[in-house]
Amino acid sequence: MIDINSTIKVSIRALKVNKMRSFLTMLGIIIGVSAVITMLAVGLGAKQRITQQIENIGSNLIIILPGSMTVGGVRTGYGGASTLSIGDAQAIVKDCPAVLRDAPMLSGSEQLVYRNQNWSTNVQGTTSSYFKIREWTLAEGRGFTQQDMQGATNVCILGQTVATNLFGSTDPTGKTITIKNIPFLIIGVLISKGQSLMGQDQDDVAFVPLSTGQQKLFGTTFPGMVRNIMVQAKNSTDINFAQQQIEALLRQRHHLLPKQNDDFFIRNLTEILTAVQQSSSIMTLLLAAIASISLIVGGIGIMNIMLVSVTERTREIGIRMAVGAKTPDIRLQFLIEAVLLSLIGSIIGIIIGSIGSKIVSVIAGWPTIISFYSIIIALGFSVFVGVFFGYYPAYKASLLDPIEALRYE
Amino acid sequence: MPLIKVVDIRKIYKMDGSLEINALNGVSAAIEKGEFVAIMGPSGSGKSTFMHILGCLDIPTSGQYFLDGENVSELKKNQLADIRNKKIGFVFQGFNLLSRTSAIENVELPMFYAKISIKERREKALQALKTVGLENRVNNYPNQLSGGQQQRVAIARALVNNAPIIMADEPTGNLDTKSSHELMELFVKLNNEIGLTIILVTHESDIAGYSKRIIRFLDGLIINDEKTK
Ligand SMILES: Nc1ncnc2c1ncn2[C@@H]1O[C@H](COP(=O)(O)OP(=O)(O)OP(=O)(O)O)[C@@H](O)[C@H]1O
Ligand SMILES: [Mg+2]
């Protein structure tokens, strides 16, 4: 076997002879690799964040909204009509086999007051199923009991943001706040969920039992009607069945004729988020692909300089051949030189790309992840570029005729 | 069996158009092991062409070349490289050392391609430099050495791999008279002490005077071949 160490040493020496030229040759690879590393880091960060949010809202989630309503020719948006009832919610769990559980929801914006502190937030009336659906656990205290639901007791559970704004660092459980001048006992505080995909603070919320909300807070003209219904399908493959079953059931319950449109909307939240996740993955790949074009441009730069180098060193090649270098020896030497150029370039690129990703995450406030794989991909790709674009010049060098090469001026 | 035997060697260079140059017109000769041969002749008579073919740097258009009994004219490019590496040390008029490479590394080069270990390369290269009297110029670069010293490095490189033959094409062509004679004494010493077979091309009869046999070329043919010692 040829002495690889010595061959590498010879190549490094050759690269050192023209330091500036070697650096400029690497520049294409440096830019390409740092761009690929940064793009992948930003993309992976985005993907991780979306994945977290998907886990955050709960799995296999379907939301049912009332249909729109036309009042004097003006159509309201989703939820404008009051077509969903508590009865619907109860019927859905009972009659739709693909549904695991559901939770009817009422909500309104209310001012919460504790002594001299007050905070305006979104108050939601719901059942204890809601917390199971959202996989949302309590940081302190207890959840709603059967008794709370049936008796419409004045109890509430706070989100983290509300708790901090009203109580600072003290434990709110057991304290009493007022909503619309009605005293409510705080029985629990939820763990933090953070921002939603749309950037809303999911912890800026307070919950009361559905019955309490109905009877005491959100006096409605249509008793028994709810804002929306959250549904959890049994598992991800059941989501479509669940949707079909719910649609059929609600059409029947709402006495809709076959040619009438649905008076409700069914939205598959998980599906929406998964679509967002997929499009972000595609975006990442696309950006990385664009960035990798500069790697190819860098490779062409290497090929160009290697061709120049082979011509310049024709005499050296002749001398080496005269003392016994064979075709593969010469080829290997120039190939190693090309690979070294791209490898060193890509190591510098990885360092710059990592620093670049950190800067992006600081400036854009977006998490970036430099994965082991993206580094391996960058290194592997640059070695490939080095071999691919270095092969032709190396091959050309190895084909030289010793006596012609020695005569070269 | 002679060390070198050539039979009816011809070399024709094809130029653009139909112009052909007959550099060698059927050369036959035999050289025994341990001989010291000088090749002389006017410019353009085919001396260098002949040396390149003997040194396996070039191949003849026709004719046969037996080196150590092996028919070299049938070998492939990489096999010829092997022959150059193991059996022939070439010394050029223009030195042909690698620049930016120290004397000792230049001398190590043939052993590098012979896949000899670094340690052994160092030892043998040092030994060869000692033989040519350059033991205190080991780490100098070619541009830090005089012409005579550079040619000695080239000789050290030629003999380091224990090649039995040294071929030199006008080795004193770029040297002054004093260095030329020192170099020739070195060749004589190598021929006498180690028994190296030496073939050299020269224009000068006093240089040729160091040899034991003179072959004269004219127009691609040997016109005279005589033992002088
Ligand atoms: N590569 C080549 N292409 C074409 N013709 C060549 C080539 N090399 C040599 N010749 C021709 O072959 C002939 C012999 O050349 P060669 O170099 O062998 O002469 P020489 O005896 O070494 O001369 P000198 O003493 O000047 O070195 C010359 O006519 C030369 O022009
Ligand atoms: Mg000549």
Side-chain angles (χ1 to χ4, degrees):
Chain A
M1 239 335 261
I2 183 97
D3 184 344
I4 292 281
N5 270 349
S6 305
T7 312
I8 290 175
K9 252 193 243 163
V10 168
S11 300
I12 288 177
R13 187 181 308 167
L15 295 179
K16 271 188 182 166
V17 169
N18 277 309
K19 286 198 194 68
M20 191 61 183
R21 187 165 92 182
S22 301
F23 173 73
L24 290 175
T25 310
M26 285 178 206
L27 208 54
I29 298 288
I30 294 176
I31 292 170
V33 168
S34 47
V36 169
I37 291 280
T38 311
M39 291 308 162
L40 286 177
V42 170
L44 283 176
K47 192 174 166 188
Q48 192 205 43
R49 194 161 162 164
I50 295 166
T51 310
Q52 261 172 8
Q53 273 155 354
I54 289 176
E55 284 162 4
N56 237 336
I57 72 161
S59 46
N60 313 326
L61 222 63
I62 295 166
I63 189 163
I64 309 167
L65 298 164
S68 63
M69 185 174 66
T70 311
V71 182
V74 179
R75 290 181 77 204
T76 64
Y78 292 151
S82 298
T83 54
L84 296 174
S85 67
I86 296 174
D88 288 339
Q90 286 162 347
I92 287 169
V93 247
K94 203 156 74 66
D95 297 337
C96 299
V99 169
L100 181 63
R101 53 173 78 93
D102 70 354
M105 311 279 300
L106 276 173
S107 67
S109 187
E110 303 294 348
Q111 202 74 17
L112 274 56
V113 181
Y114 175 69
R115 292 187 188 160
N116 58 345
Q117 299 288 326
N118 69 88
W119 186 253
S120 171
T121 193
N122 181 26
V123 176
Q124 311 226 358
T126 188
T127 63
S128 52
S129 296
Y130 177 81
F131 303 103
K132 288 185 192 143
I133 292 171
R134 300 260 348 240
E135 288 159 21
W136 205 348
T137 55
L138 289 156
E140 312 275 352
R142 63 170 178 89
F144 299 138
T145 59
Q146 204 59 34
Q147 210 181 339
D148 291 328
M149 304 309 299
Q150 278 160 9
T153 54
N154 292 356
V155 293
C156 72
I157 296 174
L158 303 183
Q160 280 287 341
T161 306
V162 178
T164 341
N165 277 293
L166 288 179
F167 295 93
S169 54
T170 51
D171 180 6
T173 49
K175 306 255 170 36
T176 304
I177 53 167
T178 56
I179 307 172
K180 281 192 171 166
N181 286 324
I182 307 163
F184 277 83
L185 176 69
I186 300 169
I187 55 168
V189 178
L190 292 158
I191 61 161
S192 174
K193 275 256 181 196
Q195 280 188 358
S196 78
L197 204 57
M198 318 308 164
Q200 284 166 334
D201 181 2
Q202 301 182 86
D203 298 316
D204 191 1
V205 68
F207 293 95
V208 297
L210 182 69
S211 47
T212 314
Q214 229 179 352
Q215 293 163 28
K216 300 176 181 169
L217 292 179
F218 317 117
T220 131
T221 40
F222 305 101
M225 291 299 159
V226 294
R227 258 318 251 288
N228 58 57
I229 302 173
M230 281 272 200
V231 182
Q232 185 171 30
K234 286 215 167 102
N235 57 57
S236 57
T237 50
D238 278 342
I239 291 184
N240 285 336
F241 295 125
Q243 264 177 286
Q244 286 160 14
Q245 290 163 1
I246 292 167
E247 185 173 6
L249 179 73
L250 290 183
R251 284 188 72 87
Q252 186 202 335
R253 283 181 59 87
H254 295 182
H255 310 293
L256 297 175
L257 298 171
K259 59 181 172 201
Q260 268 181 298
N261 288 331
D262 288 351
D263 61 352
F264 52 89
F265 296 98
I266 301 176
R267 286 280 171 273
N268 177 344
L269 284 186
T270 313
E271 191 176 78
I272 292 169
L273 286 175
T274 312
V276 173
Q277 185 179 33
Q278 269 167 3
S279 65
S280 101
S281 294
I282 290 168
M283 202 65 186
T284 305
L285 279 181
L286 210 67
L287 287 173
I290 291 169
S292 63
I293 288 174
S294 61
L295 268 179
I296 292 169
V297 174
I300 295 170
I302 288 180
M303 180 147 145
N304 184 26
I305 285 302
M306 290 310 295
L307 283 172
V308 170
S309 177
V310 166
T311 309
E312 275 181 358
R313 284 153 66 195
T314 300
R315 212 181 165 80
E316 174 194 326
I317 296 165
I319 295 172
R320 291 180 181 277
M321 285 178 161
V323 301
K326 295 183 185 147
T327 316
D329 297 328
I330 299 292
R331 200 178 305 167
L332 187 70
Q333 188 193 330
F334 283 90
L335 211 50
I336 284 183
E337 242 177 86
V339 170
L340 273 181
L341 274 174
S342 65
L343 202 58
I344 295 170
S346 94
I347 290 169
I348 298 174
I350 287 169
I351 294 168
I352 293 178
S354 310
I355 296 169
S357 317
K358 284 280 161 294
I359 293 173
V360 167
S361 64
V362 168
I363 291 176
W366 193 259
T368 55
I369 299 162
I370 295 160
S371 77
F372 177 69
Y373 290 108
S374 56
I375 288 176
I376 293 297
I377 289 170
L379 284 177
F381 198 64
S382 65
V383 168
F384 170 77
V385 163
V387 171
F388 185 84
F389 289 101
Y391 190 82
Y392 176 67
Y395 175 73
K396 223 183 136 191
S398 73
L399 281 195
L400 285 174
D401 179 62
I403 203 71
E404 297 286 335
L406 280 169
R407 249 198 293 257
Y408 186 83
E409 293 301 320
Chain B
M1 187 179 60
L3 182 61
I4 286 172
K5 186 179 168 205
V6 289
V7 183
D8 197 26
I9 293 280
R10 286 167 199 274
K11 180 77 187 181
I12 300 166
Y13 290 108
K14 289 214 163 52
M15 305 303 285
D16 319 327
S18 53
L19 187 65
E20 288 187 349
I21 295 169
N22 295 315
L24 295 175
N25 286 315
V27 177
S28 299
I31 295 169
E32 298 293 334
K33 193 171 181 328
E35 277 198 272
F36 189 157
V37 184
I39 296 174
M40 299 190 73
S43 188
S45 57
K47 308 181 295 293
S48 293
T49 308
F50 185 57
M51 284 292 274
H52 291 153
I53 288 170
L54 288 189
C56 295
L57 284 166
D58 208 349
I59 43 172
T61 312
S62 69
Q64 283 178 313
Y65 174 13
F66 298 92
L67 177 63
D68 238 351
E70 188 178 8
N71 191 349
V72 172
S73 29
E74 285 174 353
L75 296 182
K76 298 256 157 44
K77 198 179 173 193
N78 284 339
Q79 293 169 310
L80 289 176
D82 229 16
I83 301 269
R84 291 196 295 273
N85 187 249
K86 306 260 155 54
K87 299 206 167 148
I88 298 159
F90 221 100
V91 178
F92 302 88
Q93 179 177 0
F95 317 136
N96 274 342
L97 298 176
L98 294 183
S99 53
R100 298 185 210 93
T101 306
S102 64
I104 189 156
E105 284 171 311
N106 265 292
V107 176
E108 283 177 18
L109 204 59
M111 294 186 286
F112 175 69
Y113 291 113
K115 328 275 196 263
I116 289 169
S117 74
I118 299 182
K119 195 163 158 279
E120 198 183 337
R121 289 206 301 256
R122 271 287 123 130
E123 280 167 12
K124 290 178 93 177
L126 265 177
Q127 190 55 47
L129 281 169
K130 208 174 264 174
T131 308
V132 299
L134 281 179
E135 59 269 30
N136 46 15
R137 290 314 190 98
V138 169
N139 291 315
N140 285 84
Y141 290 91
N143 59 5
Q144 298 169 325
L145 297 172
S146 73
Q149 287 167 334
Q150 286 185 58
Q151 203 58 301
R152 281 161 188 272
V153 174
I155 292 170
R157 181 178 68 189
L159 56 87
V160 74
N161 224 3
N162 302 324
I165 311 164
I166 286 190
M167 299 194 186
D169 192 352
E170 297 187 48
T172 59
N174 285 0
L175 302 181
D176 63 25
T177 320
K178 185 167 169 280
S179 317
S180 298
H181 287 284
E182 283 170 3
L183 198 75
M184 289 317 294
E185 274 150 24
L186 178 61
F187 276 127
V188 171
K189 188 181 115 184
L190 292 173
N191 180 244
N192 287 336
E193 291 179 7
I194 315 179
L196 282 181
T197 308
I198 295 170
I199 305 168
L200 71 84
V201 171
T202 182
H203 280 285
E204 298 154 69
S205 31
D206 54 339
I207 296 295
Y210 284 92
S211 71
K212 298 174 184 167
R213 173 180 170 189
I214 298 178
I215 298 177
R216 285 179 199 278
F217 270 70
L218 185 66
D219 294 337
L221 282 171
I222 295 178
I223 52 158
N224 188 293
D225 183 348
E226 58 179 343
K227 290 234 161 60
T228 51
K229 275 175 200 158

